[in-house]
C-alpha cells in the first residue's frame, strides 16, 4: 500500500480499486448472497471453492503475471496483494473450510471446547500419564 501511495502520480487509481475489489466481487459476494438467502445457512460448496481459489496467493500471482504479460507493469497491480494481506493479517481470513458457515460464526464444537476449557482444572491432571497415553495411541515412545 505504501508503494502505491509513494507512486501516486503513476498510479491508475480506478484500476487499483478494480483489482483490489474483483477478488471479493467474484469470490465473496455471491457466496454471502447465497448464505443470506438460505433459510439455514447451508450453501453449495462451490462458493467455498471459488472463495478459496480467488483468495489464493498462487492464483493471484498468476493473475498478476498474466496482467504484466498483457499490459506491462503498473503500480495498480499492488491492489491485489494489498487485498490478500489485509484479509489475512488484519481480518484473519484464511481459506474457508467446507465444514463451517460461509459467514463467520462460532462453530458449535469450538464453543463446547471453550466452555469445557474454561471449567478445566489443570492442577488436577497427571500430565505425564496424559503424555504416556497419547504416545501409546500414536505409537511413539
Amino acid at each position: 500500500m505504501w508503494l502505491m501511495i509513494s507512486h501516486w502520480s503513476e498510479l491508475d487509481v480506478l484500476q487499483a480499486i478494480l483489482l483490489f475489489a474483483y477478488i471479493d466481487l467474484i469470490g465473496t459476494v455471491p457466496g454471502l448472497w447465497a448464505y443470506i438467502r438460505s433459510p439455514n445457512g447451508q450453501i453449495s460448496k462451490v462458493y467455498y471453492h471459488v472463495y478459496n481459489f480467488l483468495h489464493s496467493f498462487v492464483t493471484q500471482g498468476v493473475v498478476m503475471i498474466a496482467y504484466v504479460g498483457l499490459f506491462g507493469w503498473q503500480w495498480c497491480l499492488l491492489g491485489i496483494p494489498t487485498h490478500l494481506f489485509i484479509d489475512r493479517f488484519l481480518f484473519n481470513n484464511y481459506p474457508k473450510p467446507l465444514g463451517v458457515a460461509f459467514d463467520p460464526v462460532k462453530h458449535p464444537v469450538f464453543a463446547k471446547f471453550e466452555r469445557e476449557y474454561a471449567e478445566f482444572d489443570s492442577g488436577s491432571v497427571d500430565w505425564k500419564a496424559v503424555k504416556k497415553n497419547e504416545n501409546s495411541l500414536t505409537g511413539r515412545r
Side-chain angles (χ1 to χ4, degrees):
M1 190 144 139
W2 178 84
L3 283 170
M4 288 193 300
I5 293 168
S6 66
H7 291 89
W8 189 258
S9 63
E10 305 167 62
L11 179 67
D12 184 333
V13 177
L14 179 60
Q15 281 189 39
I17 291 169
L18 290 173
L19 288 169
F20 182 93
Y22 97 92
I23 298 168
D24 280 343
L25 290 175
I26 298 170
T28 305
V29 172
L32 281 176
W33 181 251
Y35 177 81
I36 291 166
R37 293 178 47 122
S38 168
N40 62 1
Q42 297 294 330
I43 62 172
S44 170
K45 300 306 179 198
V46 170
Y47 294 111
Y48 291 79
H49 294 300
V50 170
Y51 175 92
N52 291 339
F53 179 75
L54 284 168
H55 284 81
S56 162
F57 280 94
V58 173
T59 300
Q60 296 312 321
V62 171
V63 167
M64 291 177 71
I65 290 168
Y67 188 100
V68 169
L70 291 169
F71 306 110
W73 169 258
Q74 297 178 31
W75 289 106
C76 64
L77 281 167
L78 294 178
I80 292 173
T82 299
H83 178 114
L84 297 177
F85 285 124
I86 287 172
D87 270 2
R88 293 291 193 287
F89 303 114
L90 190 61
F91 297 127
N92 201 28
N93 288 344
Y94 286 88
K96 291 189 183 296
L98 299 177
V100 299
F102 193 82
D103 191 33
V105 295
K106 191 177 286 187
H107 195 283
V109 173
F110 183 73
K112 179 182 176 200
F113 164 76
E114 280 186 318
R115 283 191 309 276
E116 290 177 1
Y117 187 77
E119 297 168 1
F120 182 70
D121 178 16
S122 63
S124 65
V125 175
D126 180 350
W127 290 110
K128 289 188 177 186
V130 170
K131 183 70 173 174
K132 183 177 181 182
N133 187 40
E134 178 185 285
N135 288 341
S136 68
L137 294 173
T138 61
R140 288 186 274 164
R141 294 187 186 259

